[in-house]
Amino acid sequence: MTTKDIRRIALEQSAIDAGCRPEDFTAGEIRTCISRPHPDARKYLKLPLFCDFVSYGTGIVISACTEKIAALGQQYVEEHPYPNTFETPSLHRLTELFAPWNAKPYYMAEYFLPDPDRIPDLPCPYPTKLLTPVDFTDLYRPEWSNALVEKRKELDRLGVGAYDGDTLIGFAACSADCDTMWQIGIDVLPAYRRMGIAEALTSRLAKEILALGKVPFYCAAWSNIGSVRNAIACGFRPAWVHLTCLRSRN
């Protein structure tokens, strides 16, 4: 699988999630579409979306629940063009526009895709083991909450653990969030951090996923410097950014 294949698959999946066409993300302009449920969307998305903004760096796709909300989203982007769309103080304006619907910016994240030619073979200072769902039963605990998600445990597919004796000290795992793309999460116990364990586990798991014909992807908050550094060290590169606006849960 080449970087071109990986990008194409990611664009196709983003189009399914948003309710648009893959080429809308590369048009270099603002595109709007109506969000609708889709059986092949990423499993954790609650469709239809109120209003989502996605950019692969060459324009913005706005996916919204109604034409009115999409038009307000477009107005916002026209007032605050990319990349300011995804930053404060611009986001305060978006909060104002959506106030009548009791909605506001909620989730913000950066997503990474691998360059398969740049995923390194990194040594781990501790023995590692490939794990499958049968090994996950007792691992749905707070210390592994980035690697595994208990409420979606049926999606967890594969993992790589690092062990100090019989104690699991680092764990990277992936969930089949959609048919073609599996998301990687990583946790390392505090006493074992800054030893290269996260990088070794993440890079090996990325290769294992690619070997199965799936695209590994990685998500990090912009403020999580450690997580972003881990992604880059493992051959991942920034691919797209995502801003989700939601109605208040109150």
Side-chain angles (χ1 to χ4, degrees):
M1 194 178 296
T2 66
T3 54
K4 185 176 181 180
D5 294 329
I6 289 170
R7 179 174 169 81
R8 173 184 55 78
I9 291 170
L11 287 168
E12 290 172 350
Q13 185 61 49
S14 290
I16 289 171
D17 298 337
C20 65
R21 302 170 302 170
E23 56 266 33
D24 289 330
F25 294 101
T26 58
E29 59 189 38
I30 304 169
R31 296 286 176 90
T32 63
C33 56
I34 299 302
S35 176
R36 295 183 175 88
H38 195 295
D40 297 326
R42 281 177 288 165
K43 304 304 181 185
Y44 55 83
L45 294 178
K46 296 181 179 179
L47 301 178
L49 305 163
F50 176 76
C51 192
D52 258 30
F53 300 79
V54 177
S55 179
Y56 276 75
T58 55
I60 294 179
V61 169
I62 303 164
S63 179
C65 58
T66 67
E67 295 285 356
K68 173 65 174 177
I69 299 301
L72 286 174
Q74 180 166 347
Q75 176 186 334
Y76 166 70
V77 177
E78 289 171 348
E79 293 176 1
H80 304 278
Y82 178 86
N84 295 329
T85 308
F86 296 88
E87 299 177 339
T88 52
S90 301
L91 291 175
H92 297 314
R93 172 59 174 155
L94 192 56
T95 300
E96 293 174 358
L97 287 171
F98 288 157
W101 288 267
N102 199 25
K104 58 186 176 181
Y106 204 88
Y107 295 115
M108 300 168 63
E110 184 173 14
Y111 288 82
F112 299 77
L113 293 172
D115 180 340
D117 296 324
R118 294 182 179 272
I119 302 175
D121 291 314
L122 296 173
C124 184
Y126 291 89
T128 63
K129 179 183 177 182
L130 192 65
L131 304 173
T132 60
V134 70
D135 303 305
F136 298 163
T137 304
D138 297 325
L139 298 181
Y140 290 93
R141 303 195 300 266
E143 60 265 41
W144 311 122
S145 60
N146 287 313
L148 298 174
V149 180
E150 186 168 13
K151 65 181 180 180
R152 297 193 301 271
K153 62 173 61 177
E154 71 280 1
L155 302 179
D156 295 327
R157 291 291 187 268
L158 194 65
V160 181
Y163 291 83
D164 185 355
D166 294 329
T167 302
L168 181 65
I169 59 167
F171 184 36
C174 60
S175 60
D177 292 340
C178 52
D179 182 60
T180 57
M181 301 178 68
W182 291 4
Q183 182 171 191
I184 293 177
I186 176 72
D187 290 292
V188 178
L189 297 182
Y192 294 88
R193 292 173 185 168
R194 299 178 183 246
M195 297 181 185
I197 295 171
E199 294 94 330
L201 299 181
T202 303
S203 57
R204 180 180 173 190
L205 183 57
K207 288 190 174 186
E208 296 284 352
I209 295 169
L210 284 167
L212 293 172
K214 306 295 183 181
V215 172
F217 72 105
Y218 189 105
C219 177
W222 294 320
S223 58
N224 194 338
I225 300 300
S227 185
V228 172
R229 285 177 174 170
N230 179 56
I232 292 171
C234 296
F236 284 79
R237 298 293 181 264
W240 77 93
V241 290
H242 190 178
L243 166 63
T244 296
C245 297
L246 299 177
R247 294 178 185 267
S248 174
R249 297 177 179 179
N250 295 332

